[in-house]
Amino acid sequence: MNTTLSLGSLAVSSGILAAGLIFAYGVWLGRRDTGWRAAQGVLGAVVLGGVLPFLLIQFAPALLNYDSRNLTSLFLLTIVNIVGVLVAFLPWLVAGNWLEILRREGPTT
């Protein structure tokens, strides 16, 4: 459970950083409106990445009381941790997509 909680906070922290960086890049290119939309998209991914691991824990009470001798609960805990890691990178994937859009539009003239 501790791993999933720390991955949730990792997704939130790194996602907020990604949103700030993509907004700053949009402002630097002179595309403040597109940078703001990009930051909002990344923050939406932050909400998903930060909330999803906690929802998985809330609706899986068997994972909270797992016993290492019980193979099923250990398998479920492993799956939740893998999904948590994948979701932690979601804001960076969204920011990378917006980065391509901003680069394609180029600076304002």
Side-chain angles (χ1 to χ4, degrees), residues 1 3 6-7 16 18 21-22 27 31-32 42 45 55 60 65 74 87 91 93 95-97 102 108:
M1 182 174 99
T3 305
S6 65
L7 286 174
I16 291 172
L21 289 174
I22 198 70
V27 170
R31 304 252 179 221
R32 184 181 178 102
V42 173
L55 289 178
N65 299 322
L74 189 61
V87 171
L93 291 174
N97 183 36
L102 285 168
T108 58

Side-chain angles (χ1 to χ4, degrees), residues 12-77:
V12 171
S13 301
S14 66
I16 291 172
L17 176 65
L21 289 174
I22 198 70
F23 177 68
Y25 184 65
V27 170
W28 183 62
L29 287 178
R31 304 252 179 221
R32 184 181 178 102
D33 56 337
T34 307
W36 177 241
R37 282 194 325 236
Q40 288 175 339
V42 173
L43 289 175
V46 167
V47 169
L48 177 66
V51 171
L52 187 64
F54 297 116
L55 289 178
L56 288 174
I57 289 175
Q58 292 297 324
F59 293 116
L63 295 177
L64 292 175
N65 299 322
Y66 83 96
D67 183 12
S68 62
R69 294 170 295 180
N70 187 352
L71 187 60
T72 304
S73 61
L74 189 61
F75 180 70
L76 288 175
L77 184 65

